[in-house]
Amino acid sequence: MTIAGGAVYGNYFNMPGIGPYQIDIEIRRPHTQQLIKASFDYRHAVVSAQPRQSMSKTQ
């Protein structure tokens, strides 16, 4: 895939359970010895399993 004229990488992966997760990435760019590292904390959004009740009443 290309964005703004540069090649990019993407992937999907399963994150079972409620977490939390720490995501660590390492980026190696062509023609450089520098290694870029980043860490992110991630938690799934909390979604209620209960159906919502209507706020309006019908007569």
Side-chain angles (χ1 to χ4, degrees):
M1 179 169 33
T2 302
I3 296 178
V8 297
Y9 173 81
N11 195 3
Y12 293 97
F13 49 92
N14 189 24
M15 297 170 67
I18 60 172
Y21 296 92
Q22 180 175 331
I23 301 168
D24 299 316
I25 63 171
E26 294 183 353
I27 302 167
R28 291 185 174 87
R29 297 175 51 190
H31 313 296
T32 181
Q33 295 295 319
Q34 181 184 14
L35 177 64
I36 302 167
K37 294 183 180 185
S39 294
F40 303 90
D41 293 327
Y42 176 81
R43 295 178 190 271
H44 291 300
V46 176
V47 179
S48 174
Q50 300 285 331
R52 289 186 172 184
Q53 295 186 7
S54 174
M55 297 297 282
S56 63
K57 294 182 180 180
T58 57
Q59 297 182 1

